[in-house]
Amino acid sequence: MRGPNGTTWLAAAFALAVALTGGALPADAKLPPEAADKPGYLIVGTYLIHKDALTKQNFAAAKTTMKASGQGTYYKSEFADGAWFDLSRSAEFRDIADPKGKKAVPAALIDQLKLEIWIDGQGQIHSLLPADGLAKQIEQLKKEADKLKKDSQTAVQDNKPNAATQQSLEQNRLEAGAAFLEALSGGNQEEANKLLGRMGDPLEALADLQTKASALGETLGEERKKLEAQLKQAEAAGDTKLAEELQAKLKASEAAAGPLGQPKDAAAAAVALEALKAKQAELEQLAGAAAKSGNAKLTAELQAQAAANQAALEAEKRELKALLTAELTKQAASLAKQLAEASTAKDIASEAKLLAQWAGVEAQRKAIDSGLAEKLKSLEEAMAKLETAVSGQNGTAQQELEATLTTLRKQWTGAKKRELFLQLNLVESVPGEAAGKVASELITELKALEKSLYTADEYKALEQLAEQISTASAGQVVPLPVENLLTDTVSLKFEMPPVRIGGAAYIHIRPVSEAFGALVVWNDEERTVTISKAGAVLFCRVDRPEAYLNGTPVTLDSPPRLVEGRTMVPLRFVAEGLGLGVTWHEPSATIRIDGFDE
């Protein structure tokens, strides 16, 4: 059961099929006589492949047709008088050796499948489409590829390298598909076999795309040098109209070269990384399925491939990190220069816009360097998978998945807040009116994240409690929305809104202290609060200004209070006693607490 390359791809295909599902689509296509009469054939998507001709390349190309066609993987078993079996239901030997078993499927169902490519036992590739259908499909693929080429050029002009690279990669795949069908139409088997890799393997397609783009980039390089020289002359001569025309030509030249026309950039590295991740997931899935089936040799082979791919994946991560950091450093320097010019010109609107961009780029660079960016992406990927899984469950399983999803969302909120605080810190380090505007915008984003932690019912209950507090105190106690208390990493949830009494901020002590890992003890009889954490013990009494920090007396300007039956303590005393920083932002009436451990 070995393909021409000596690898047991049939066994690998069986292992993968355990995790894949498929269906049947009515069509006019029928099996060629050889496949109808002989066992040992696989149907993968719209491909019909004999086991003796199964290779990594044609299996990968066939898999790309499964989603669009809605068809899975079937095998015509030589162990069961040529009966067909749905491998998505089972790939176990005992299940594909019983023609009367539950895993067998009727030949009539197989006849209904839409089949487009046939690879026979000698490795010869045939099209199962009629001549006019083949021509129509080639035309359609070229049309779609041409549209993606234009979209990619537009993305380059709009400075969207990631989108441009993805579009170029898909364009390359479609072009390979059209060329593959043309090779079949012309009887060129060697060329058709070469093109299978580009159609199915993202890494091979990326390498091919980079080679072509680099060649094109060299061709256009001399043209760009001439245009750049002419642009300098036009700018020196003050010819604005000519300078604009030359800049447009330069932009068009860059778009023509495509996102990969230069040395490998972050966008290309990101695509390569995603391809390696997809390959890693598949190899791990295959190895797990092979181990389950008891095939020790195949399991070891797949585990070795997974280990090698993991090493390549880690190397690509390091390269991507270096490329991204270099690109962002360059962008930040350019923005800083423009920001200084806008500040000198006292152009507040431009200064605010450039300051927001500069802070965003610098924060992104810091997030990549610290690993925060990777953490955010991992959490987003995990949440997306769980959201899909939750929709397909009910009862206890659904509740467990939703609980896990809630935990992930809370972790993501904390990480996202850290990213926004990086920007806020950078903005607040710059004096001036523009910085105030940008800081207010970032604080609005942070408040939205804090508010997202509450359900609609929870938030409504807090609003009702705030109204009750204000009425009962005749306006002496001023409640603040819970989202007006910002924390740098952890996500706090309150059952009692923070309040201001006589200008001092008060909070319900337990959520903040426990989030910081402190122990809170309330003595109801003496109405005292003791807050302890390694290295710090705080003691205070309701309505009394005397307090103690590690046994040292402290006089409070604002003593603890009971508000609606809950102990409210002066925020600054508690936060600073526990080593936290507290900042009041007057324009947005927000309280910021810094210094929580993640």
Side-chain angles (χ1 to χ4, degrees), residues 14-15 18 85-87 89-98 103 289-295:
F14 280 2
V18 173
F85 294 87
D86 183 350
L87 294 183
R89 298 169 64 191
S90 175
E92 299 288 345
F93 177 79
R94 63 178 180 274
D95 291 327
I96 61 171
D98 183 3
K103 312 301 181 185
K292 185 179 177 182
S293 68
N295 191 329

Side-chain angles (χ1 to χ4, degrees), residues 201-504:
D201 188 337
L203 290 175
E204 189 172 330
L206 180 64
D208 178 74
L209 181 58
Q210 287 177 316
T211 300
K212 290 196 301 184
S214 296
L216 179 59
E218 289 177 9
T219 303
L220 295 173
E222 290 302 317
E223 179 189 340
R224 284 201 293 271
K225 286 179 182 178
K226 291 178 183 177
L227 288 170
E228 287 167 356
Q230 292 170 10
L231 177 59
K232 285 182 180 179
Q233 291 175 358
E235 289 175 339
D239 191 337
T240 306
K241 185 177 180 182
L242 178 58
E244 288 177 353
E245 291 176 358
L246 290 167
Q247 284 174 341
K249 287 182 179 180
L250 269 172
K251 202 169 186 180
S253 178
E254 290 170 1
L260 303 180
Q262 304 302 321
K264 188 175 182 182
D265 61 6
V271 174
L273 181 62
E274 290 307 311
L276 284 165
K277 282 183 178 178
K279 186 175 182 180
Q280 188 67 19
E282 179 180 312
L283 285 168
E284 290 173 357
Q285 186 181 53
L286 286 167
K292 185 179 177 182
S293 68
N295 191 329
K297 185 176 180 181
L298 178 60
T299 301
E301 180 184 335
L302 290 167
Q303 287 175 340
Q305 290 181 39
N309 190 77
Q310 183 64 38
L313 193 155
E314 294 301 325
E316 195 68 42
K317 278 185 181 179
R318 290 191 293 272
E319 182 175 6
L320 175 59
K321 183 176 180 178
L323 288 166
L324 281 171
T325 301
E327 283 187 14
L328 292 169
T329 301
K330 185 177 178 181
Q331 287 179 33
S334 175
L335 287 166
K337 182 180 178 182
Q338 296 174 58
L339 178 58
E341 292 170 353
S343 179
T344 301
K346 299 190 183 303
D347 184 348
I348 303 299
S350 296
E351 188 181 354
K353 181 179 179 181
L354 289 164
L355 179 58
Q357 292 175 344
W358 171 79
V361 169
E362 273 291 323
Q364 190 179 355
R365 182 181 65 78
K366 290 175 180 289
I368 289 169
D369 191 54
S370 67
L372 177 62
E374 186 174 357
K375 179 179 179 179
L376 271 168
K377 187 172 183 181
S378 296
L379 286 167
E380 286 164 2
E381 290 174 350
M383 286 191 298
K385 289 178 181 176
L386 265 182
E387 284 167 357
T388 302
V390 166
S391 63
Q393 298 291 335
N394 51 46
T396 304
Q398 185 181 41
Q399 291 173 359
E400 290 175 352
L401 288 173
E402 285 177 345
T404 304
L405 186 55
T406 298
T407 301
L408 288 176
R409 283 175 179 154
K410 187 175 180 181
Q411 292 173 357
W412 178 88
T413 299
K416 187 64 179 177
K417 285 197 297 181
R418 170 61 69 86
E419 183 182 56
L420 287 172
F421 268 115
L422 285 173
Q423 294 182 52
L424 185 58
N425 291 338
L426 288 161
V427 169
E428 290 180 338
S429 69
V430 178
E433 183 182 344
K437 288 184 176 182
V438 178
S440 292
E441 291 171 359
L442 288 168
I443 287 172
T444 298
E445 287 188 63
L446 283 161
K447 287 167 68 176
L449 284 173
E450 295 286 4
K451 187 175 179 178
S452 71
L453 295 169
Y454 299 85
T455 66
D457 288 342
E458 287 172 338
Y459 194 78
K460 185 177 180 180
L462 283 163
E463 287 182 316
Q464 291 172 345
L465 182 54
E467 186 177 348
Q468 184 178 326
I469 291 169
S470 183
T471 302
S473 68
Q476 296 301 305
V477 180
V478 182
L480 296 172
V482 284
E483 67 267 25
N484 282 31
L485 197 152
L486 308 175
T487 55
D488 57 353
T489 53
V490 300
S491 297
L492 300 176
K493 281 191 72 172
F494 291 94
E495 296 177 359
M496 179 81 172
V499 299
R500 297 194 80 191
I501 305 174

